[in-house]
Amino acid sequence: MRTPIIAGNWKMNTTYDEAMDLVEELVDGLEAREESDNVDVVLCPPFLWLFSAAEYLEDTGIQLGAQDCYPVDRGAFTGAISAAMLADQCSYVIVGHSERRTLFGETDDLVAKKAAAALRHGLRPIVCVGEGLRERDAGETDATVRRQVEAAFAPVEGGQLAECVVAYEPVWAIGSGRAADGAEAGRVGALIRETLAARFGAAAAGQVRIQYGGSVTGANIAEFIGQPEIDGALVGGASLNAAEFIRICAIAARHGAGE
Ligand code: 13P
């Protein structure tokens, strides 16, 4: 069975003090639970807080992720942070988040290069895919998700799939309080796995963990984690509230323990 994975995407939130308080509360709350063995927990704070967060997380089971990376290792790319630079601090990196695609004009091709760079440096990419409202209304959800998955995984090799996570985040569900229906998220999760299986074979595709993201809370996580093809969640707003995030992780851990 795939170990559930809950990742908190803090986006561009928290002051330094708020971030450290949140990390401390999460460490206290999550480490106190024996069941945390049955779920992988990843925190993705803003770049600036990664070093300090890493100190708090040392010797805990909680892992650190970045929210983005640049695919070239070094050079004249003002403002960018490369996967190579993140590799010492982080275990995971989010690539292709819809906010990066929409607000920063990222293409499928750039997302693929980011995923490849992450893997090259030993980081596990969390590859985000998902349709917008226009595509959903036009009945293009499946075609959009399939295209994004095929493109992002174009440079990836089958042996690397166990290191990869795909987050299905329907854009209309992000930050809207309108989560997708659990069964629909499960259906798209299955589509993502089939798309990967068509290229890499069922065994390799079966190793990828697929998350749902979009208005996940402690009240609805069970609906998603209960879907056979959904292995966790990428949590935005609710990851900024320690008690709520701990609750989400606890429910996923119980699922991971087979309860
Ligand atoms: P919300 O949980 O705030 O909807 O954000 C989801 C998301 O974009 C996580 O990457």
Side-chain angles (χ1 to χ4, degrees):
M1 184 180 157
R2 296 176 293 264
T3 305
I5 176 166
I6 303 292
N9 175 8
W10 296 8
K11 308 192 179 183
M12 198 178 70
N13 292 297
T14 66
T15 63
Y16 177 79
D17 288 345
E18 287 166 352
M20 294 310 115
D21 287 350
L22 185 51
V23 172
E24 215 171 335
E25 280 180 77
L26 291 171
V27 169
D28 289 349
L30 290 165
E31 291 289 290
R33 312 187 79 101
E34 289 172 18
E35 67 223 14
S36 63
D37 287 349
N38 299 309
V39 62
D40 286 345
V41 178
V42 184
L43 308 183
C44 304
F47 284 128
L48 273 175
W49 316 150
L50 285 172
F51 267 88
S52 301
E55 280 175 27
Y56 277 93
L57 297 181
E58 209 175 325
D59 301 325
T60 74
I62 305 167
Q63 290 168 296
L64 206 50
Q67 296 176 17
D68 184 35
C69 67
Y70 199 70
V72 181
D73 290 356
R74 60 166 65 213
F77 301 93
T78 301
I81 308 272
S82 68
M85 291 168 163
L86 293 167
D88 282 346
Q89 298 300 317
C90 299
S91 312
Y92 290 83
V93 59
I94 298 170
V95 298
H97 192 280
S98 64
E99 286 149 19
R100 303 257 5 139
R101 293 178 190 260
T102 312
L103 302 172
F104 300 92
E106 291 195 4
T107 60
D108 282 340
D109 181 52
L110 182 60
V111 175
K113 289 192 168 93
K114 290 181 174 196
L119 288 164
R120 200 167 63 240
H121 290 286
L123 290 163
R124 298 175 168 192
I126 299 176
V127 179
C128 300
V129 299
E131 81 287 1
L133 195 54
R134 191 196 56 74
E135 290 148 329
R136 179 177 185 242
D137 289 344
E140 293 168 3
T141 296
D142 294 12
T144 303
V145 169
R146 206 179 288 121
R147 187 202 78 226
Q148 290 175 335
V149 170
E150 284 171 354
F153 283 81
V156 176
E157 286 162 24
Q160 297 175 306
L161 283 200
E163 310 303 318
C164 298
V165 178
V166 177
Y168 168 54
E169 298 206 308
V171 180
W172 47 270
I174 294 177
S176 64
R178 250 182 80 203
D181 171 68
E184 171 63 4
R187 188 190 70 76
V188 179
L191 172 85
I192 291 169
R193 207 175 296 287
E194 279 163 26
T195 305
L196 292 169
R199 156 97 190 276
F200 299 104
Q207 296 189 295
V208 175
R209 288 181 291 177
I210 299 175
Q211 298 175 313
Y212 166 76
S215 300
V216 169
T217 64
N220 64 18
I221 180 65
E223 198 186 322
F224 298 107
I225 197 90
Q227 302 293 327
E229 298 302 343
I230 302 283
D231 309 304
L234 183 54
V235 185
S239 71
L240 296 167
N241 177 316
E244 187 72 9
F245 191 68
I246 290 165
R247 192 170 154 220
I248 292 170
C249 293
I251 292 168
R254 282 204 289 280
H255 181 79
E259 288 171 29

